[in-house]
């Protein structure tokens, strides 16, 4: 029997924001363990098992590709099966991946664990968090709720990074530069933490029931009216087929791909590098500062896009990344334990975090702002794919260059990628915006 309108109950805003808190908590702990702390294990594992930096950091490439392939299927599954079950499957897979990490000693074993971990995190984070938010906030407040939820990853970094370094330090000998693990116990510790906290969240997190109303008729009407008004004012744009024929789309994509090459090292290889220059405690503190920077960057990114536009906002991000890599190059010339290295490391963390919006919310904003709403979903996929390809190649590329020369040269190459990539991207944005004006003028004349 279908539930009648009179039988339904309106869910309070307080309960809806409790769901937002659970999503934020998901990002802070389960996602933070599954994804954000993995770079901190790179240097200890490379030293312990005598891998090359390039070969080990392929875990990030394989993981990203596997998650990209699995994501559409997971998204379909969320619509067919119980959300709690899907969420728990993701938690279990990610925790199991850390158990596999703990038993691994060969590269293929680490690659397999990384793939499993990335697929698991897609269940509860990449697909799961937006799924929950979209169901509890179908109209007004969705953007704010998503912003709060995804800030959890940055908040988690603030304390997870130093905690991870402290645990690694306890199970290492020989110092940070040449030290190695005497036990794989840290992986099992984090596997238990991820599973237990994820299980607790599973008990409470859910989507609305059939007898629950999450938005009143008045709010729904207001949301539809606002959406209709926005739809009338937005740039309709071109079809995906038309965009694919544009020269400046390919320049834009090439620029974003090259940016991904440079930024992969900043996100995945920073700990492996800093471990050779600073103590584990200092590296952990820098990681927490990166969390602070990301928290500010995620919150302010939307404002920058709205106020400055795509070209200026991405130029700002490019400058922040150039300064961040410059700090790394400066540190590469310093002796181990130099106090100025810690200061430069903190500067790297803050500036890099401030620009995190460029690849977090950037693809979604740019896809619609540049190419219009006609094939927005397809364009978002293409824009995101360009960056993902570059990012997937960037981490092992950094390791290869470092192996052939040293960290300084590797950071110089990454700096070149960032500069060239942002120049291509900003120029193409300006050109595409000019094409928009011409398109609208021709449409008006007709």
């Amino acid at each position: 029997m279908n539930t009648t309108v009179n039988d339904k109950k309106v869910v309070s805003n307080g309960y809806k924001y409790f769901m937002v808190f659970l999503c934020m908590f998901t990002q802070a702990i389960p996602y933070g363990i599954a994804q954000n702390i993995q770079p901190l294990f790179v240097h200890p594992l490379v030293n312990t098992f005598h891998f090359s930096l390039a070969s080990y950091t392929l875990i990030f490439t394989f993981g990203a590709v596997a998650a990209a392939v699995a994501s559409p299927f997971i998204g379909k599954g969320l619509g067919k099966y119980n959300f709690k079950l899907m969420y728990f499957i993701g938690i279990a897979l990610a925790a199991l991946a850390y158990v596999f990490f703990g038993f691994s000693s060969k590269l293929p074993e680490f690659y397999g664990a990384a793939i499993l971990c990335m697929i698991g995190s897609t269940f509860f984070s990449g697909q799961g968090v937006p799924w929950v938010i979209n169901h509890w906030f179908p109209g007004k407040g969705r953007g704010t709720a998503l912003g709060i939820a995804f800030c959890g990853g940055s908040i988690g970094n603030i304390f997870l990074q130093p905690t991870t370094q402290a645990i690694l330090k306890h199970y290492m000998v020989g110092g940070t530069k040449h030290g190695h693990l005497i036990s794989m116990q840290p992986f099992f510790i984090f596997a238990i933490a991820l599973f237990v906290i994820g299980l607790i969240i599973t008990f409470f997190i859910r989507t609305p029931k059939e007898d629950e109303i999450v938005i009143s008729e008045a709010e729904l009407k207001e949301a539809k009216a606002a959406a209709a008004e926005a739809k009338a004012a937005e740039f309709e744009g071109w079809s995906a087929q038309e965009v694919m024929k544009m020269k400046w789309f390919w320049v834009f994509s090439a620029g974003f791909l090259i940016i991904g090459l440079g930024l992969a090292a900043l996100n995945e290889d920073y700990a492996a590098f800093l471990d050779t220059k600073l103590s584990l405690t200092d590296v952990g503190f820098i990681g927490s500062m990166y969390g602070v920077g990301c928290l500010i960057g995620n919150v302010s990114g939307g404002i920058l896009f709205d106020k400055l536009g795509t070209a200026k906002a991405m130029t700002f991000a490019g400058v922040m990344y150039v300064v961040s890599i410059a700090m790394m190059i400066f540190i590469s010339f310093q002796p181990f334990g130099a106090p100025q290295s810690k200061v430069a490391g903190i500067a790297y963390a803050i500036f890099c975090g401030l620009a995190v919006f460029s690849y977090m919310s950037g693809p979604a904003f740019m896809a619609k702002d540049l190419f219009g709403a006609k094939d927005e979903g397809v364009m978002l996929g293409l824009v995101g794919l360009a960056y993902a390809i570059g990012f997937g190649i960037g981490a092992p590329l950094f390791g290869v260059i470092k192996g052939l020369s040293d960290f300084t040269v590797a950071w110089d190459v990454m700096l070149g990628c960032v500069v060239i990539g942002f120049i291509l991207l900003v120029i193409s944005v300006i050109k595409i915006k000019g094409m928009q004006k011409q398109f609208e003028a021709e449409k008006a004349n007709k």
Side-chain angles (χ1 to χ4, degrees):
M1 181 182 293
N2 293 331
T3 305
T4 63
V5 176
N6 292 334
D7 294 329
K8 294 187 176 183
K9 58 183 178 180
V10 178
V11 179
S12 68
N13 285 331
Y15 190 83
K16 290 194 290 184
Y17 273 97
F18 175 61
M19 291 296 121
V20 176
F21 168 76
L22 292 177
C23 289
M24 184 176 70
F25 199 30
T26 295
Q27 292 297 111
I29 307 297
Y31 177 79
I33 293 175
Q35 298 301 319
N36 291 342
I37 67 171
Q38 278 201 38
L40 302 181
F41 287 87
V42 172
H43 206 266
L45 289 172
V46 165
N47 286 343
T48 301
F49 295 104
H50 307 291
F51 301 139
S52 69
L53 183 61
S55 63
Y56 182 77
T57 51
L58 278 171
I59 66 168
F60 302 116
T61 303
F62 292 138
V65 171
V69 172
S71 185
F73 299 100
I74 295 171
K76 289 183 179 179
L78 287 170
K80 292 182 179 180
Y81 305 108
N82 180 273
F83 175 77
K84 280 181 178 288
L85 174 63
M86 297 289 284
Y87 184 95
F88 178 73
I89 288 173
I91 292 293
L93 289 176
L96 186 61
Y98 261 76
V99 173
F100 287 163
F101 273 127
F103 285 115
S104 298
S105 59
K106 295 179 173 59
L107 280 173
E109 296 169 348
F110 283 104
Y111 296 157
I115 289 171
L116 188 64
C117 195
M118 278 292 287
I119 292 176
S121 66
T122 303
F123 275 86
F124 60 79
S125 175
Q127 288 281 357
V129 167
W131 184 266
V132 172
I133 298 299
N134 288 342
H135 277 78
W136 286 105
F137 294 86
K140 189 176 181 181
R142 183 189 304 175
T144 301
L146 278 170
I148 294 172
F150 280 110
C151 279
S154 302
I155 295 171
N157 261 339
I158 295 173
F159 60 86
L160 269 181
Q161 296 276 334
T163 300
T164 303
Q165 292 290 33
I167 293 174
L168 287 173
K169 185 178 181 180
H170 182 73
Y171 290 97
M172 283 182 67
V173 294
T176 56
K177 190 172 183 179
H178 302 293
H180 63 277
L181 291 169
I182 58 174
S183 170
M184 299 293 275
Q185 190 66 28
F187 286 107
F188 300 117
I189 292 173
F190 284 113
I192 293 171
L194 194 160
F195 183 79
V196 171
I197 294 174
L199 181 61
I200 293 172
I201 297 173
T202 304
F203 288 141
F204 299 98
I205 197 167
R206 65 181 180 86
T207 52
K209 299 176 182 177
E210 288 187 7
D211 63 344
E212 291 177 324
I213 299 175
V214 297
I215 184 171
S216 66
E217 290 187 13
E219 290 175 322
L220 183 60
K221 185 177 180 180
E222 180 184 352
K224 287 182 177 179
E229 184 179 348
K231 184 76 175 177
E234 71 183 5
F235 173 59
E236 181 183 0
W238 304 278
S239 67
Q241 291 77 11
E242 291 172 324
V243 171
M244 296 281 281
K245 296 177 182 179
M246 295 180 184
K247 176 183 73 174
W248 290 109
F249 163 73
W250 293 106
V251 175
F252 172 89
S253 298
F256 213 21
L257 187 150
I258 296 171
I259 288 171
L261 290 174
L263 298 192
L266 276 178
N267 287 276
E268 307 292 6
D269 294 308
Y270 75 93
F273 165 65
L274 291 177
D275 281 345
T276 66
K277 295 294 182 178
L278 294 166
S279 69
L280 287 174
T281 302
D282 287 339
V283 176
F285 178 74
I286 289 171
S288 67
M289 290 298 99
Y290 177 65
V292 173
C294 287
L295 182 60
I296 299 172
N298 274 318
V299 172
S300 63
I303 299 173
L304 289 174
F305 275 124
D306 288 336
K307 299 294 183 183
L308 301 180
T310 298
K312 292 180 180 178
M314 293 301 283
T315 299
F316 169 82
V319 172
M320 294 298 101
Y321 284 130
V322 167
V323 175
S324 297
I325 298 178
M327 293 297 102
M328 293 303 213
I329 294 173
F330 172 78
I331 294 172
S332 71
F333 290 108
Q334 307 307 311
F336 182 84
Q340 58 267 32
S341 293
K342 183 177 180 180
V343 175
I346 293 171
Y348 141 76
I350 296 297
F351 286 117
C352 187
L354 289 176
V356 72
F357 69 87
S358 62
Y359 65 87
M360 292 292 286
S361 58
F365 184 90
M366 291 188 292
K368 187 171 184 179
D369 181 57
L370 297 178
F371 306 110
K374 181 176 286 187
D375 277 339
E376 180 183 354
V378 177
M379 295 315 305
L380 174 57
L382 292 174
V383 170
L385 180 62
Y387 178 81
I389 292 172
F391 193 89
I393 298 172
L397 175 64
F398 182 86
V400 169
I401 299 170
K402 183 267 175 185
L404 294 174
S405 52
D406 55 29
F407 274 117
T408 303
V409 174
W411 284 121
D412 286 338
V413 173
M414 296 303 108
L415 178 62
C417 288
V418 168
V419 171
I420 293 171
F422 271 99
I423 288 175
L424 290 176
L425 185 141
V426 172
I427 290 175
S428 62
V429 166
I430 294 172
K431 294 292 185 180
I432 293 169
K433 281 293 186 180
M435 294 172 65
Q436 276 189 18
K437 294 180 180 179
Q438 182 179 353
F439 179 84
E440 291 290 273
E442 291 175 355
K443 184 178 178 181
N445 290 333
K446 291 180 181 180

